Amino acid sequence: MKNSKAGNKTNKQTSEPTKVASKGVAHTQVKTLHPRNKHNQGYDFEGLIKKCPKLSHFVRPNPYGNLSIDFSDPEAVKSLNAAILLTDYHIEQWDIPAGFLCPPVPGRVDYLHYIADLLAVNGKAPKGNKIRALDIGTGANGIYPLLGVKSYGWQFVASDIDPVSIANVAEIISHNPDLASKIDLRQQTNPQAIFSGIIGDNERFDITLCNPPFHRSLAEASQGSAKKNANLAANRAKKHSQKPAVSSSSAALNFGGQKAELWCEGGEQQFLTNMIKESQQFGQQCLWFSSLVSKSENLKPCYQLLKQLHADSVQTIDMKQGNKITRVLAWSYLPEAARKQWAKFRHNAI
């Protein structure tokens, strides 16, 4: 499945997915955070510290005189996240157990802004509880439903195979009563299933989201984190004109992460394959399916599989946050006329 000519264009004004004919692949590349992202201007550490004084323990001037934190320190990253979620999204007492994945907020909310564009009607991103989203593998952080509710007012079903993760998100919700009616937590009890056992017979979802496990094993995950920590140390040393120091904890997972969050048999490619295959069973119940794809080489097998399964529309959006590039892969089995009818019905209902 090849990208269409239209898919090679970059829409720098709106950063919205490029529209293409059915069964084509729209491919949009962007160089900055989404225009609606609150974090386009970086972090206001002084403002964040006022809201969350604990953050001050981790904030120091960098070599350029700007305030920052050590992003290789999981406690610093967790404190920054809690401050951002409180200050910008009014989420109280966000926390995660030790060792669980602590995702950076700007990149995660970017994913939500792009899928909001995907669901847009007449160029307007939909808001309100008529939009139903399913987060696959919500983790202990619950970041997508939390941000999705606060940014757009959508209804979420958040699933995870780990009971500790489900319990922790429930604890976060307990401190934020306005979220209780908007986030439905469901535990996946079948380790071989993704959508089955979560999507009910008569349920409909406008969009599904997923940040799939990246690595094939714990060893691979540890190696990846060690490399990331080494790069961070090298960059700090370069700014200070010093020799990089490698600490004994350099192999630690600096952003945390449990087994189900970071790795699975076959890694990201196998997880995506399993998810795409299973999605076909629910093709009439979901307007769009979507997933982050970290490795660009995993896209081609996904395109080929979606073609075999007769997906009607496939879109790919490149997102760049700093030096990191990741992608949103979105697909729908519904023909264009059915998608328009779905959107029209939803728009009228709102």
Side-chain angles (χ1 to χ4, degrees), residues 59 113 122 175 178 186 260 285 338:
V59 175
H113 290 316
N122 297 324
H175 297 293
D178 59 316
R186 300 180 188 178
Q285 292 178 254

Side-chain angles (χ1 to χ4, degrees), residues 294-311:
S294 294
K295 298 181 178 180
S296 59
E297 60 266 29
N298 289 339
L299 285 171
K300 187 175 181 180
C302 290
Y303 296 154
Q304 293 171 340
L305 180 56
L306 286 164
K307 184 176 181 180
Q308 293 171 13
L309 296 176
H310 306 292

Side-chain angles (χ1 to χ4, degrees), residues 44-261:
D44 175 12
F45 280 102
E46 292 182 353
L48 293 172
I49 289 171
K50 287 181 181 179
K51 281 284 188 177
C52 193
K54 181 183 176 182
L55 179 62
S56 64
H57 301 306
F58 304 101
V59 175
R60 299 287 184 275
N62 64 20
Y64 302 104
N66 301 316
L67 296 178
S68 187
I69 65 166
D70 179 358
F71 284 94
S72 68
D73 180 350
E75 286 300 316
V77 174
K78 186 168 76 168
S79 184
L80 175 60
N81 267 18
I84 292 171
L85 292 171
L86 177 61
T87 304
D88 294 326
Y89 301 96
H90 311 293
I91 297 171
E92 303 277 349
Q93 297 188 47
W94 180 89
D95 197 6
I96 54 174
F100 279 76
L101 189 64
C102 187
V105 172
R108 295 301 185 257
V109 77
D110 237 33
Y111 184 2
L112 289 161
H113 290 316
Y114 283 111
I115 62 174
D117 289 343
L118 188 67
L119 298 175
V121 176
N122 297 324
K124 184 177 181 180
K127 293 186 176 183
N129 60 13
K130 296 300 180 182
I131 299 297
R132 299 193 74 233
L134 169 60
D135 181 22
I136 296 295
T138 196
N141 56 75
I143 200 71
Y144 290 123
L146 294 175
L147 292 174
V149 170
K150 289 296 186 176
S151 298
Y152 291 101
W154 297 347
Q155 291 279 343
F156 272 81
V157 169
S159 71
D160 204 284
I161 198 168
D162 179 21
V164 176
S165 292
I166 293 293
N168 194 71
V169 180
E171 177 68 16
I172 296 170
I173 293 172
S174 73
H175 297 293
N176 298 271
D178 59 316
L179 299 176
S181 63
K182 297 179 179 179
I183 301 176
D184 180 5
L185 298 174
R186 300 180 188 178
Q187 186 180 347
Q188 174 60 268
T189 58
N190 181 356
Q192 304 303 317
I194 296 175
F195 300 110
S196 298
I198 298 298
I199 299 179
D201 292 341
N202 298 313
E203 279 193 299
R204 299 289 185 272
F205 289 96
D206 295 271
I207 188 74
T208 72
L209 306 83
C210 185
N211 182 18
F214 183 75
H215 300 287
R216 296 173 181 268
S217 66
L218 178 59
E220 184 177 286
S222 297
Q223 290 171 2
S225 190
K227 181 179 179 180
K228 182 186 294 184
N229 280 337
N231 289 338
L232 287 170
N235 287 336
R236 288 195 301 272
K238 183 178 180 180
K239 292 174 182 177
H240 288 280
S241 298
Q242 298 172 348
K243 184 177 179 180
V246 181
S247 70
S248 60
S249 61
S250 63
L253 300 174
N254 62 303
F255 287 99
Q258 298 294 300
K259 190 267 184 187
E261 295 179 309

Side-chain angles (χ1 to χ4, degrees), residues 27 212-216 220 264 266-276 291-306 314 316 326-329 331:
H27 200 133
F214 183 75
H215 300 287
R216 296 173 181 268
E220 184 177 286
C264 66
E268 181 181 69
Q269 180 54 63
Q270 188 60 54
F271 190 94
L272 289 168
T273 296
N274 295 343
M275 180 164 59
I276 290 171
S291 179
L292 290 180
V293 180
S294 294
K295 298 181 178 180
S296 59
E297 60 266 29
N298 289 339
L299 285 171
K300 187 175 181 180
C302 290
Y303 296 154
Q304 293 171 340
L305 180 56
L306 286 164
V314 178
T316 305
T326 189
R327 301 137 199 95
V328 175
L329 176 66
W331 65 97

